[in-house]
Amino acid sequence: MIANNKVKLIGMTLVRVLTGVILFKFSLEMFSKDTMSGYIQWLGDIHFPFASKMAYVGKIAEMVGGLSLILGLFVRWTGIPVMITMVVITFVMGEGSITDTSFLILLLSIVFFCTGAGSISLDQIVKHKKASPLVILLVVLWTQLYG
């Protein structure tokens, strides 16, 4: 039974982190003028309000949500804008196609919103150590860069 729980913890952590990597990768499109012009045009064509601003808001939601999932920090809070972004991408821009990556990320965002980041996360460290999330994040980044 203990081994089974460890497998679940590791499995959910891998799914969370890989979902974060995928989201973060998609967010980097905001640095491509051509790609963003296409998204802005697409949103404009469907008469989406504030098309140029909303294209960037969606990409920022992907970036923050991706980093949050990778680190396991504030997963529930950052999941809300990610879910909204994925609903727009899936059901407005994608015309309801549930075979797209955006729908899968929407489902996974719902799962992590409901379950939280899990035991292997910065959220757990903050919860048990009573340390500031910012301090923990800085320690982790420092360790990764200079450790």
Side-chain angles (χ1 to χ4, degrees):
M1 188 68 125
I2 293 173
N4 192 21
N5 285 337
K6 286 183 181 181
V7 170
K8 286 179 186 177
L9 290 175
I10 293 169
M12 286 303 289
T13 301
L14 284 173
V15 171
R16 187 194 78 227
V17 170
L18 291 174
T19 302
V21 169
I22 291 167
L23 263 176
F24 188 78
K25 178 192 172 288
F26 283 127
S27 77
L28 296 177
E29 292 176 336
M30 84 170 113
F31 300 110
S32 167
K33 285 185 180 183
D34 292 338
T35 302
M36 289 307 292
S37 293
Y39 289 146
I40 292 166
Q41 180 67 41
W42 197 357
L43 287 170
D45 289 348
I46 60 172
H47 306 290
F48 202 85
F50 310 107
S52 63
K53 287 181 177 59
M54 295 311 287
Y56 283 97
V57 166
K59 289 297 172 188
I60 291 168
E62 289 175 352
M63 180 172 278
V64 172
L67 288 172
S68 173
L69 286 168
I70 291 167
L71 297 172
L73 186 63
F74 307 127
V75 168
R76 286 188 166 129
W77 288 105
T78 59
I80 296 168
V82 169
M83 286 186 278
I84 293 168
T85 300
M86 293 304 127
V87 164
V88 169
I89 292 170
T90 301
F91 297 106
V92 177
M93 295 173 73
E95 299 173 352
S97 175
I98 60 170
T99 59
D100 291 340
T101 305
S102 59
F103 184 71
L104 177 60
I105 292 181
L106 171 61
L107 293 178
L108 290 168
S109 296
I110 293 168
V111 167
F112 291 118
F113 179 77
C114 294
T115 64
S119 296
I120 306 171
S121 66
L122 285 181
D123 277 345
Q124 278 305 106
I125 294 170
V126 170
K127 181 179 174 183
H128 291 298
K129 300 288 184 186
K130 305 292 186 215
S132 162
L134 181 59
V135 170
I136 291 174
L137 179 60
L138 291 173
V139 168
V140 169
L141 289 173
W142 180 269
T143 305
Q144 292 300 315
L145 292 173
Y146 303 106

